[in-house]
Amino acid sequence: ILRRPERVDVKLDHPGKVEFDEKDIPIVQALYDGEVADVDERLRKNLERMRETGLLDHTIVIIAADHGEELFDHGWVGHASTGYDGKLYDELIRIPMIIHLPDKSLTGKFSAMVQGVDVMPTVFDLLGIDSKDMQPQMQGKSFLPIIKGEKDKIRDYVFNQTTFKGWTTPKEEMTTRIVSVRSEDKKLIWIPTK
């Protein structure tokens, strides 16, 4: 859910800087909605082709994002690499993940906290491959028990990090990280001084 800010005031100096005002908000949101609709249509076509060829009956499909987008939620548009102002607000780190299993045996909607590192152990678990003794050991945990309804959660906390400038961060600044830790009801964001 997007909420409109009381005031939009973005004044960061960097190449590509754009200043917005209140009248730009619905335009930017409509552009974003258009991008989402375009991706939906492309996915539909790919999944339709997979269904026609029978490939969908033999494929685990996972659709996820690497980050969300801020659309004026905190007075900004984009994410770390677009603003030279890295942030870890929920609209940037809470992302959707859709998993399609060929046999459609497990369905539902879940809101448990998981991390990107949990995807691979989950895929191995779905395939019946024991990954616990693999070397090097994976950091992630399978969230298949959540999908099966055997557990409510696999983590008490999730961690996130970013740089101040995302992928555009100069090499000498890459070790400076904004970090966050989140539980189900609390979140701490640590922003180092520049």
Side-chain angles (χ1 to χ4, degrees):
I1 297 174
L2 302 175
R3 57 186 171 82
R4 296 177 59 118
E6 295 284 325
R7 182 173 157 248
V8 177
D9 186 16
V10 177
K11 291 185 172 130
L12 295 173
D13 288 319
H14 64 83
K17 176 183 80 169
V18 177
E19 292 188 25
F20 297 96
D21 62 35
E22 279 291 319
K23 69 179 176 18
D24 297 319
I25 293 172
I27 297 165
V28 171
Q29 290 173 339
L31 288 168
Y32 183 80
D33 290 347
E35 289 293 322
V36 171
D38 181 59
V39 170
D40 283 350
E41 178 60 16
R42 290 170 189 257
L43 282 170
R44 184 193 65 75
K45 287 178 180 177
N46 283 319
L47 293 171
E48 188 175 278
R49 183 71 179 133
M50 289 175 74
R51 187 175 292 109
E52 289 169 1
T53 61
L55 191 58
L56 197 59
D57 295 332
H58 306 284
T59 305
I60 296 172
V61 179
I62 300 174
I63 301 168
D66 59 340
H67 59 74
E69 295 291 328
E70 183 178 341
L71 296 174
F72 300 105
D73 300 74
H74 291 93
W76 187 250
V77 175
H79 53 277
S81 11
T82 57
Y84 283 21
D85 188 26
K87 299 173 183 168
L88 291 172
Y89 295 124
D90 281 353
E91 59 269 16
L92 298 170
I93 62 173
R94 289 187 60 146
I95 59 167
M97 181 181 302
I98 300 168
I99 300 174
H100 165 82
L101 301 178
D103 64 0
K104 300 180 182 126
S105 60
L106 303 171
T107 61
K109 183 177 178 180
F110 312 95
S111 60
M113 295 185 305
V114 299
Q115 299 185 148
V117 296
D118 299 326
V119 175
M120 187 60 73
T122 304
V123 171
F124 282 158
D125 214 359
L126 284 165
L127 296 172
I129 299 170
D130 186 2
S131 61
K132 291 180 185 76
D133 296 325
M134 287 186 175
Q135 293 298 324
Q137 193 172 27
M138 288 188 271
Q139 295 175 348
K141 300 176 181 180
S142 172
F143 52 85
L144 185 57
I146 295 170
I147 297 171
K148 287 183 170 181
E150 299 168 356
K151 289 185 178 180
D152 291 332
K153 62 182 180 176
I154 58 166
R155 298 185 172 278
D156 292 321
Y157 303 97
V158 292
F159 300 89
N160 293 280
Q161 66 174 330
T162 190
T163 58
F164 281 100
K165 301 173 185 172
W167 66 269
T168 63
T169 300
K171 189 176 182 178
E172 63 274 8
E173 296 177 28
M174 282 300 241
T175 56
T176 305
R177 301 287 174 141
I178 301 164
V179 296
S180 73
V181 60
R182 169 180 255 314
S183 67
E184 289 184 16
D185 61 344
K186 292 182 176 79
K187 181 176 176 186
L188 172 69
I189 301 173
W190 181 70
I191 303 171
T193 56
K194 292 183 184 179

